[in-house]
Amino acid sequence: MDDDAPAVLVAEEALLGLLQPFWQLVIGAFVLVVVVLSVGRLARRGRSRMTTALLVTAAAIAGFALVGVLLQG
């Protein structure tokens, strides 16, 4: 009876391994929809908000790059 337990565990891991790319695709699609909707809403608010959003995004990218470089060295 004990010999069946590892086989079931391996089968469950194999099933989750097959489903993982599907869930990554679902999560990626959801994130893409949210980003597109938020960019559309931001664009409707006007030019000054878009400029501010671009500056904040650029600062965030530069900050993450700087942190990455500092942590790497």
Side-chain angles (χ1 to χ4, degrees):
M1 206 51 141
D2 292 333
D3 293 335
D4 292 337
V8 172
L9 183 60
V10 170
E12 288 177 4
E13 290 177 5
L15 179 62
L16 290 176
L18 290 172
L19 289 176
Q20 186 178 4
F22 172 73
W23 285 114
Q24 288 176 350
L25 182 65
V26 169
I27 292 169
F30 182 73
V31 169
L32 182 65
V33 167
V34 170
V35 167
V36 167
L37 290 175
S38 63
V39 167
R41 182 178 180 198
L42 187 62
R44 285 192 305 264
R45 286 188 171 195
R47 179 178 237 158
S48 64
R49 298 257 178 149
M50 283 296 287
T51 302
T52 302
L54 288 174
L55 290 175
V56 168
T57 303
I61 291 170
F64 284 131
L66 179 65
V67 168
V69 168
L70 291 176
L71 290 177
Q72 187 179 20

